[in-house]
C-alpha cells in the first residue's frame, strides 16, 4: 500500500479545468465539497482523480491533512495494520504501537485510490469504520473515534464487480453517496493545451530554466493525439519534450508518444462512439468541404448496407421514419440501389444480420 501526504502542487483551476466538461465536474465538486458525505470519483486511469480529491479537501475547509492511499498496492498481510493501525506485539515485527492512515487523516481527508482493488476482507472492515466513524487497531479492543472525510476513486465498473462477487454491494452504497464522473482526456480537448503549458512551466522550474514555447505544429500534434494514458501520459510527453527542446521551443519531433498495444488510436477494445468522437475532433481541425453532408451520407450509406438495403430496417436502426429515410436515400443517390443489385444478380450484403439466409 502506498501513501502520499505531500503538499499538493498549487494549480490554478481555471488552467486545468478549461474544457466545458471539466468545468461541469468542477462545479459539481464545489457544490459538495463542504459536506462530510463520502465522494466516489469514477474515471479511467490517469485522468486526474487525485487532483480532484485534493480540490475537494482544499474546498472542504478541513484543518487536518490530506492523505492518499493506493489500494491497488495493498498486501493482504499488512493492509489492515496500514489502514487501521496496530498495537505493539499484535503480530511479528510490531515492536511499537502505530496509528493507521484513518487516524493520521483525522480532521482531514483520506483518499482511497483504486478502491475497486481493495481485498474483500478489508471491504468488510472499511464498511464498519464508515458506519461507526471509529477504528479499532489490530491487537486492540478499544475503539478510537475519527473525523475523516473519505474520497474514493476507481477505474473499475463497481456494479459489474458486485455482480462478479468482487465488491460488496453494501460498501458501494456507502461510498456512492456522491458520484463524480471524470471524463477521459480525449473527451476534454479544451484541457489539452492548458495542461501542456502548465506541465511545461512545472518541469522548466525544476530545471531552473525558462519555459520553452510550444510551436504551433507541436500544439496541433498534442490536440490530435488520442491520449490513451490520459493526463498522466500528457505529463510524461511534455516532461520529455522540455528536456529535448532546443532554441527555446518545443517542436513536433520533441513529442515522444508510446505506441503501446491497444492504444486508443487503433484499439479494438475502445468504445465505438469514443473512436468516432476522436476522429471527428481531428476532422474539425482541417474540415473537408460539406463536412456535415459527408458524415450524414456515410452514416446512411453504411446503415443501408448493414440492413441489406432494406428501408424499413434501416429506418428503425437509425431511429427515423421511413419517409425521412427515403428523402435521404434520394439525396445521396441510394434509392434505386436495390433494384440495380437485383438486375446484376448480386446479394445486398451476405453478412448483414438483416439478410435472409
Amino acid at each position: 500500500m502506498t501513501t502520499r501526504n505531500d503538499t499538493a502542487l498549487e494549480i490554478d483551476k481555471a488552467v486545468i479545468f478549461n474544457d466545458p466538461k471539466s468545468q461541469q465536474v468542477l462545479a459539481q465538486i464545489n457544490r459538495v465539497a463542504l459536506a462530510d458525505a463520502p465522494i466516489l470519483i469514477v474515471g479511467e486511469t490517469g485522468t486526474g482523480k487525485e487532483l480532484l480529491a485534493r480540490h475537494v479537501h482544499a474546498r472542504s475547509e478541513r484543518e487536518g491533512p490530506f492523505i492518499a492511499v493506493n489500494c491497488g498496492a495493498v498486501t493482504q498481510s499488512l493492509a489492515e495494520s496500514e489502514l487501521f493501525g496496530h498495537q505493539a506485539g499484535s503480530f511479528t515485527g510490531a515492536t511499537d504501537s502505530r496509528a493507521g492512515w484513518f487516524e493520521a487523516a483525522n480532521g482531514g481527508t483520506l483518499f482511497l485510490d483504486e478502491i475497486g482493488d481493495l481485498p474483500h476482507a478489508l471491504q468488510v472492515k472499511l464498511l464498519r469504520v464508515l458506519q461507526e466513524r471509529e477504528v479499532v487497531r489490530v491487537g486492540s479492543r478499544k475503539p478510537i473515534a475519527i473525523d475523516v472525510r473519505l474520497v474514493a476513486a476507481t477505474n473499475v465498473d463497481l456494479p459489474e464487480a458486485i455482480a462478479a462477487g468482487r465488491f460488496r454491494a453494501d460498501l458501494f452504497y456507502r461510498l456512492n453517496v456522491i458520484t463524480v464522473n471524470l471524463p477521459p482526456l480525449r473527451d476534454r480537448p479544451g484541457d489539452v493545451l492548458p495542461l501542456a503549458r502548465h506541465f511545461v512551466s512545472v518541469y522548466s522550474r525544476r530545471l531552473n530554466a525558462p519555459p520553452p514555447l510550444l510551436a504551433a505544429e507541436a500544439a496541433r500534434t498534442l490536440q490530435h493525439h488520442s491520449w490513451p494514458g490520459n493526463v498522466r501520459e500528457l505529463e510524461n510527453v511534455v516532461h520529455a519534450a522540455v528536456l529535448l527542446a532546443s532554441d527555446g521551443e518545443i517542436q513536433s519531433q520533441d513529442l515522444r508518444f508510446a505506441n503501446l498495444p491497444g492504444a486508443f488510436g487503433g484499439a479494438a477494445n475502445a468504445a465505438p462512439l469514443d473512436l468516432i468522437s476522436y476522429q471527428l475532433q481531428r476532422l474539425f481541425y482541417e474540415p473537408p468541404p460539406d463536412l456535415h453532408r459527408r458524415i450524414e451520407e456515410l452514416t446512411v450509406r453504411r446503415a443501408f448496407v448493414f440492413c441489406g438495403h432494406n428501408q424499413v430496417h434501416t429506418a428503425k436502426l437509425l431511429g427515423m421514419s421511413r419517409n425521412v429515410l427515403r428523402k435521404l436515400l434520394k439525396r445521396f443517390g441510394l434509392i434505386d440501389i436495390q433494384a440495380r443489385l437485383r438486375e446484376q444478380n448480386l446479394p445486398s450484403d451476405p453478412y448483414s444480420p438483416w439478410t435472409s439466409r
Side-chain angles (χ1 to χ4, degrees):
M1 179 180 295
T2 61
T3 62
R4 295 178 296 280
N5 189 20
D6 53 319
T7 301
L9 184 66
E10 292 298 327
I11 298 176
D12 180 359
K13 66 185 181 187
V15 172
I16 301 302
F17 298 101
N18 193 64
D19 190 87
K21 287 188 177 180
S22 298
Q23 290 283 350
Q24 291 176 5
V25 171
L26 188 65
Q28 181 185 6
I29 286 291
N30 290 339
R31 286 194 298 270
V32 302
L34 288 173
D36 287 331
I39 293 178
L40 178 64
I41 304 174
V42 180
E44 295 180 5
T45 299
T47 49
K49 296 188 288 293
E50 183 177 337
L51 176 62
L52 272 187
R54 290 185 181 276
H55 185 77
V56 169
H57 177 67
R59 285 300 191 105
S60 70
E61 299 181 357
R62 284 181 159 266
E63 297 181 356
F66 175 92
I67 292 181
V69 179
N70 183 357
C71 298
V74 69
T75 57
Q76 184 75 44
S77 57
L78 295 176
E80 186 176 358
S81 169
E82 291 288 326
L83 277 173
F84 311 123
H86 64 258
Q87 294 296 106
S90 57
F91 55 86
T92 303
T95 56
D96 299 310
S97 296
R98 177 182 170 187
W101 294 117
F102 269 95
E103 287 182 69
N106 198 33
T109 303
L110 180 62
F111 174 57
L112 296 183
D113 197 9
E114 300 184 34
I115 189 73
D117 295 331
L118 194 68
H120 204 275
L122 279 181
Q123 294 177 27
V124 180
K125 293 180 170 62
L126 175 58
L127 177 63
R128 180 172 178 80
V129 169
L130 295 178
Q131 289 173 337
E132 305 296 333
R133 301 183 71 85
E134 60 184 25
V135 296
V136 178
R137 293 182 180 182
V138 177
S140 173
R141 295 183 178 180
K142 179 182 177 181
I144 301 172
I146 55 168
D147 174 23
V148 173
R149 171 69 172 281
L150 184 70
V151 181
T154 183
N155 62 350
V156 173
D157 186 327
L158 291 184
E160 183 178 296
I162 292 170
R166 299 191 304 272
F167 202 83
R168 293 181 62 92
D170 46 6
L171 178 57
F172 171 71
Y173 293 129
R174 177 65 63 170
L175 295 172
N176 196 39
V177 177
I178 300 168
T179 300
V180 177
N181 291 290
L182 183 57
L185 187 57
R186 62 181 174 271
D187 290 342
R188 298 148 47 196
D191 286 346
V192 172
L193 292 185
L195 276 167
R197 294 188 176 104
H198 165 72
F199 291 132
V200 167
S201 177
V202 168
Y203 288 105
S204 297
R205 285 200 306 269
R206 294 185 185 181
L207 294 171
N208 293 317
L213 298 175
L214 191 62
E217 183 60 31
R220 284 193 292 271
T221 300
L222 291 174
Q223 289 176 310
H224 287 174
H225 187 60
S226 58
W227 301 113
N230 290 298
V231 177
R232 191 171 298 153
E233 181 190 5
L234 174 60
E235 181 177 1
N236 291 339
V237 168
V238 172
H239 185 186
V242 169
L243 296 173
L244 295 170
S246 58
D247 299 326
E249 192 169 45
I250 295 175
Q251 303 291 340
S252 291
Q253 59 265 27
D254 299 321
L255 303 173
R256 307 296 173 87
F257 301 103
N259 294 318
L260 298 176
F264 179 77
N269 294 327
L273 285 177
D274 287 339
L275 290 168
I276 293 171
S277 176
Y278 169 61
Q279 296 298 342
L280 283 174
Q281 184 70 23
R282 295 182 62 191
L283 281 172
F284 292 157
Y285 283 108
E286 297 179 5
D290 301 324
L291 176 59
H292 180 269
R293 185 196 63 79
R294 294 175 69 173
I295 292 174
E296 187 177 38
E297 179 180 356
L298 179 63
T299 304
V300 172
R301 184 181 294 274
R302 293 305 305 158
F304 198 37
V305 170
F306 179 80
C307 293
H309 301 101
N310 183 296
Q311 294 182 25
V312 174
H313 292 155
T314 304
K316 183 177 180 181
L317 177 66
L318 295 177
M320 61 179 62
S321 69
R322 187 177 178 186
N323 287 338
V324 172
L325 176 67
R326 283 183 61 84
K327 290 179 182 178
L328 292 173
L329 293 176
K330 288 180 179 178
R331 182 188 306 169
F332 302 134
L334 302 173
I335 194 67
D336 297 325
I337 190 169
Q338 196 165 32
R340 291 199 300 270
L341 289 171
R342 287 198 191 99
E343 288 175 2
Q344 300 174 42
N345 198 27
L346 294 174
S348 295
D349 183 357
Y351 299 105
S352 169
W354 300 102
T355 302
S356 57
R357 302 298 184 190

